[in-house]
Each structure stands twice: as C-alpha cells, then as structure tokens.
C-alpha cells in the first residue's frame, strides 16, 4: 500500500482505514507498521506519517538491509525488498567500510562505484543491533583487561575495565555486554556479565556456545502448559477424521541405540501389479502445534533442535518432541505418509502424500540391523516373521537402488 505509486502519506490510522479493516484490528496495523519500520522496510516522517525509507532520506543511493560478515572482515548486505517483490543481489561491503556492523545487524548503506567495477556499499548507520551480548575469552593485554569475542571478525579484543572482585582468570570463558562496539578504528568496550569458567573445560565450551547463540534450555511456563493440553487431548485409540488408518500395517523404525525421538518409520510390500510400494511415515508434529499458538511462536524462535556434545536443546517441549510426535514402539502415532511405487529395477512410477495413523511394531537400532544382515537366520527367533521378512525385502531393494 505504501509503495504504491499513487500513495499519499498518511498515519497508521489512515492505512487501517484505507485497507478497509475492522475497527478491532487497528492495534495490529500499528504493530505491523512499527515492525516494518524496525526492519527498514518503512519509515516515520514528521507527525508519524508513514513513508518509504527512500522518501525520508531523499537519497536514491541509500538502502537498508541485513549485514552478513565474512571471517576476513568484509561483508555483504542484502537490501530490504522495496516495491514489488523481486530478486535482489547482495551488495559487497569492503572491510574498511563496515563501520562497527556485526553479523545480523540492520544497517543503512550508501551504494557507490567499486574500483574493481560494479557496485559496493558503505555502512553509514547501524539501524538496529542484532544482539549486544557475546561470549568470549578473558585475558590481559598491555596491562588492560580485555576479552576476545567468539565468532566475531574483529582483530582486536574489547576492553572490560577494572575486573577486581570478579573470579576471573586468564583464559576463562565469559559473557559480556558491549557498551561500545569495536570498528576498524577503535577497540570496543564491554562489561562482564558472567564468568563461565576455564576454557580448558569442555562443559564450559558448550555453555559458551549456548550463550553465544542465546540458546534457551527452559521453555516458558505457558508453552509447557499448552504442550500438556495437547498431551491430555490426545487419545491413541481415536484416529482423527481424514487420516488413513495404517495401524494394521507392519511398521518399524531404525535409529541410533540412544535415540529418544523417532522421526520416521517404514513399510515395504509388493502390490497386485508386482511393483514395490514403500511407505515412509514421518511424525506429524504440526498436528500438535496450532498455528499462531505460543507453541508455534516458540518453535519459530528456536527454528530447530540444537544438538550439542552433551545435550539436546529441542525446538518443542519434550512432551511433544519425545512423546506425542515420536514414533515410539508399540504405540499408535499420527504421521505424514509418503507412498512410493517402484518397479523391480527401482524406477518410481507413482507417488502420493497423505495424513495417516500408524502402529510401530518394532524399534531397531543400526547395530542390530548390521548383525541381522550378517546372519539373518540367527534372528528368526528374535523377530516376528513379518518383521524378519520386511528387513530381508528392505535390504534387497536397497541393493537394487
């Protein structure tokens, strides 16, 4: 609306009115405009009129975008898309023109000609910092207490002032908050928030990574409560309408021996045409995460489960990730199923995807399957005939593929 050629500057209330939205949605419009301003896609003029950033500055060579830093010190900025959505190319920022920008910062840059031909940019303003807290290593340099920041392409450490009274020693991992960001001309300044411990301790390294990337182990109470509600509402015997009931089909999982969440299960059989049908069942996590819920918002923030040497920080509470949405043995679970029909030589002739419910008949680990493949006959008494034959068929098909 704002980028339309015939747009006349108005306040958020005017945008709300022009879009013809219900009165109760005005607060949502205000929040959306504010968020777009923070992202550099819109800007406020005097009296809170809403404009594009270019209209505010009057500088057609000025643009905004997210700064991405390379290890060598230079970086790239992907401009905020303006007008009609179209592909935009990253703009190269030489190391001498990055100012104090760090990874993920929203920056304003001025585009200029490059001596090598083409265009490059210069950071002229840090619009919004991606973060202010960093992990790092404490030390003393030229009699000053300093910290070398982890994962930051800055050649010099930041000053942390007088640390007397803090239980910190040379080489300790610490967490700092930057007061003044370093650039190519001056060292930054920071304050130590937390002393994690000796960098020689592997557990401290893990803790430093968690602080560095703001990885939260604990879930907010309201997220845990919603996960409990989903667990209470789920009944194994009741298959939701619209799902194919595959609980009578022999199904198995193969995972590492110490796995706690089982993401996918399989079944293989011949159909009436003599072709092979492979069913791959993927745990239907989305069924337990209502769109727009606190569970959904928390999952978006975390983006993925993070696997560290001594722990896993899950994307969703374990009630869901390790229970409701885990294809546990001898349990009925909800899944997304991919059906692939293939010829004897492995050519795919048909495929489809659908919602389903399955029963996991057998949980196996990789070591067990290796032993089975070495001597199938030794496993006849340990497995049901259906599972024993399924493994045999799976190995035959795998060798063909």
């Amino acid at each position: 609306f704002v980028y339309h050629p015939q747009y006349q500057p108005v306040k958020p209330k005017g945008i709300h009115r022009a879009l013809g939205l219900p009165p109760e949605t005005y607060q949502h419009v205000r929040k959306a405009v504010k968020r777009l301003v923070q992202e550099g896609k819109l800007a406020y003029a005097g009296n809170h009129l809403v404009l594009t950033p270019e209209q505010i500055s009057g500088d057609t060579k000025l643009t905004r975008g997210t700064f991405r830093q390379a290890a060598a010190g230079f970086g790239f900025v992907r401009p905020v898309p303006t007008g009609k959505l179209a592909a935009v190319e990253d703009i190269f920022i030489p190391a001498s023109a990055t100012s104090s920008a760090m990874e993920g910062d929203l920056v304003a840059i001025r585009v200029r000609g490059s001596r090598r031909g083409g265009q490059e940019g210069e950071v002229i303003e840090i619009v919004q910092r991606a973060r202010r807290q960093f992990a790092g290593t404490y030390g003393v340099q030229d009699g000053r207490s300093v910290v070398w920041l982890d994962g930051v392409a800055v050649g010099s450490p930041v000053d942390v002032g007088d640390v007397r009274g803090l239980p910190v020693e040379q080489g300790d991992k610490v967490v700092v908050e930057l007061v003044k960001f370093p650039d190519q001309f001056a060292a930054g300044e920071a304050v130590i928030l937390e002393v994690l411990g000796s960098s020689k301790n592997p557990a401290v390294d893990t803790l430093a990574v968690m602080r560095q990337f703001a990885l939260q182990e604990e879930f907010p109470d309201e997220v845990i409560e919603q996960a409990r509600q989903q667990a209470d509402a789920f009944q194994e015997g009741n298959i939701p309408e619209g799902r194919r009931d595959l609980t009578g089909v022999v199904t198995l999982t193969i995972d590492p021996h110490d796995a706690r969440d089982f993401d996918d299960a399989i079944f293989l059989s011949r159909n009436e045409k003599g072709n092979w049908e492979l069913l791959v069942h993927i745990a239907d996590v989305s069924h337990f995460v209502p769109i727009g819920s606190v569970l959904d918002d928390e999952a978006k923030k975390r983006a993925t489960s993070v696997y560290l040497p001594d722990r896993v920080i899950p994307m969703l509470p374990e009630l869901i990730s390790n229970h409701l949405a885990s294809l546990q043995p001898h349990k009925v679970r909800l899944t997304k199923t991919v059906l692939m029909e293939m010829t004897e030589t492995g050519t795919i002739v048909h495929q489809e995807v659908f919602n389903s419910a399955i029963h996991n008949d057998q949980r196996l680990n990789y070591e067990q399957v290796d032993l089975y493949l070495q001597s199938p006959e030794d496993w006849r008494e340990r497995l049901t005939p259906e599972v024993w034959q399924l493994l045999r068929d799976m190995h035959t098909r795998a060798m063909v593929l």
Side-chain angles (χ1 to χ4, degrees):
F1 178 75
V2 175
Y3 277 89
H4 193 279
Q6 297 176 353
Y7 170 71
Q8 296 296 317
V10 293
K11 297 179 181 179
K13 186 162 284 188
I15 294 176
H16 174 260
R17 189 182 308 114
L19 293 178
L21 298 169
E24 64 271 15
T25 63
Y26 172 58
Q27 292 301 325
H28 297 296
V29 172
R30 280 188 60 191
K31 289 180 180 178
V33 170
K34 186 175 180 180
R35 176 174 53 79
L36 291 167
V37 169
Q38 290 173 338
E39 294 174 0
K41 298 177 182 178
L42 294 177
Y44 287 123
N47 205 20
H48 262 65
L49 295 175
V50 181
L51 297 171
T52 68
E54 290 75 17
Q55 290 170 321
I56 291 288
S57 67
D59 188 344
T60 57
K61 292 185 179 297
L62 199 66
T63 188
R64 291 183 176 192
T66 301
F67 181 75
R68 300 298 181 194
Q69 193 166 40
F74 60 85
F76 295 89
V77 168
R78 174 156 297 177
V80 172
T82 57
K84 294 181 179 179
L85 289 177
V88 291
E89 292 186 1
D90 291 351
I91 298 171
F92 174 73
I93 312 294
S96 61
T98 60
S99 185
S100 63
M102 289 192 175
E103 176 70 21
D105 288 349
L106 177 64
V107 298
I109 64 171
R110 181 172 284 116
V111 181
R112 64 192 188 190
S114 170
R115 287 176 293 180
R116 300 173 298 173
Q119 291 185 323
E120 64 183 29
E122 175 188 9
V123 176
I124 61 171
E125 181 190 359
I126 311 296
V127 179
Q128 186 176 0
R129 292 287 184 184
R131 59 195 176 104
R132 291 182 172 273
Q133 293 184 9
F134 295 82
T137 305
Y138 172 79
V140 177
Q141 186 179 69
D142 299 328
R144 299 176 295 116
S145 291
V146 297
V147 169
W148 281 268
L149 303 179
D150 291 343
V152 174
V154 176
S156 58
V158 295
D159 290 321
V160 290
D162 191 345
V163 297
R164 283 178 294 185
L166 281 177
V168 61
E169 298 179 2
Q170 183 93 4
D172 279 356
K173 282 290 184 184
V174 297
V175 178
V176 301
E177 173 142 351
L178 290 186
V179 178
K180 179 183 176 184
F181 281 74
D183 57 27
Q184 61 268 38
F185 303 110
E189 297 177 10
V191 59
I192 294 178
L193 300 180
E194 184 180 4
V195 179
L196 301 177
S198 172
S199 58
K200 297 178 182 179
N201 183 345
V204 169
D205 274 344
T206 298
L207 206 53
V209 169
M210 292 171 61
R211 297 290 191 275
Q212 180 75 6
F213 295 98
L215 303 176
Q216 301 294 324
E217 282 195 280
E218 301 299 324
F219 285 91
D221 290 343
E222 61 269 23
V223 174
I224 295 295
E225 181 55 36
Q226 191 165 66
R228 287 172 179 156
Q229 292 171 8
Q230 292 293 324
D232 291 343
F234 177 66
Q235 296 180 348
E236 271 194 58
N238 294 343
I239 297 174
E241 189 175 346
R243 288 183 178 268
R244 294 196 199 177
D245 185 352
L246 300 179
T247 54
V249 176
V250 177
T251 302
L252 61 82
T253 58
I254 307 174
D255 293 277
H257 72 91
D258 57 351
R260 295 175 61 196
D261 56 328
F262 312 108
D263 302 318
D264 57 280
I266 51 179
F267 172 67
L268 181 70
S269 64
R270 279 191 187 272
N271 61 19
E272 66 281 358
K273 293 181 287 186
N275 288 335
W276 290 94
E277 288 188 355
L278 172 65
L279 298 178
V280 179
H281 312 289
I282 302 110
D284 190 357
V285 183
S286 61
H287 180 85
F288 303 102
V289 184
I291 295 174
S293 65
V294 292
L295 268 172
D296 192 20
D297 289 342
E298 186 69 18
K300 285 178 185 175
K301 289 177 189 173
R302 292 176 178 240
T304 182
S305 295
V306 180
Y307 292 81
L308 296 167
D310 61 352
R311 74 195 75 188
V312 176
I313 301 176
M315 182 178 72
L316 291 163
E318 293 190 344
L319 262 174
I320 293 177
S321 61
N322 288 350
H323 178 56
L324 298 179
S326 179
L327 309 183
Q328 296 176 335
H330 314 300
K331 298 281 188 181
V332 173
R333 288 293 182 259
L334 306 183
T335 49
K336 303 280 188 185
T337 292
V338 181
L339 181 153
M340 291 161 275
E341 182 182 353
M342 64 185 79
T343 64
E344 189 68 33
T345 57
T347 301
I348 302 289
V349 294
H350 173 71
Q351 65 279 321
E352 58 180 299
V353 183
F354 50 87
N355 291 333
S356 59
I358 68 163
H359 178 275
N360 182 4
D361 296 283
Q362 182 77 54
R363 180 208 165 181
L364 293 170
N365 61 51
Y366 298 132
E367 291 79 9
Q368 288 174 318
V369 175
D370 283 342
L371 292 172
Y372 168 89
L373 294 176
Q374 290 174 19
S375 180
E377 291 302 321
D378 292 346
W379 285 76
R380 279 194 181 275
E381 300 301 320
R382 305 186 201 182
L383 303 171
T384 65
E386 294 81 8
V387 171
W388 187 92
Q389 188 60 48
L390 177 55
L391 282 173
R392 193 65 177 252
D393 291 342
M394 285 166 51
H395 182 245
T396 303
R397 290 290 86 216
M399 293 304 98
V400 170
L401 292 172

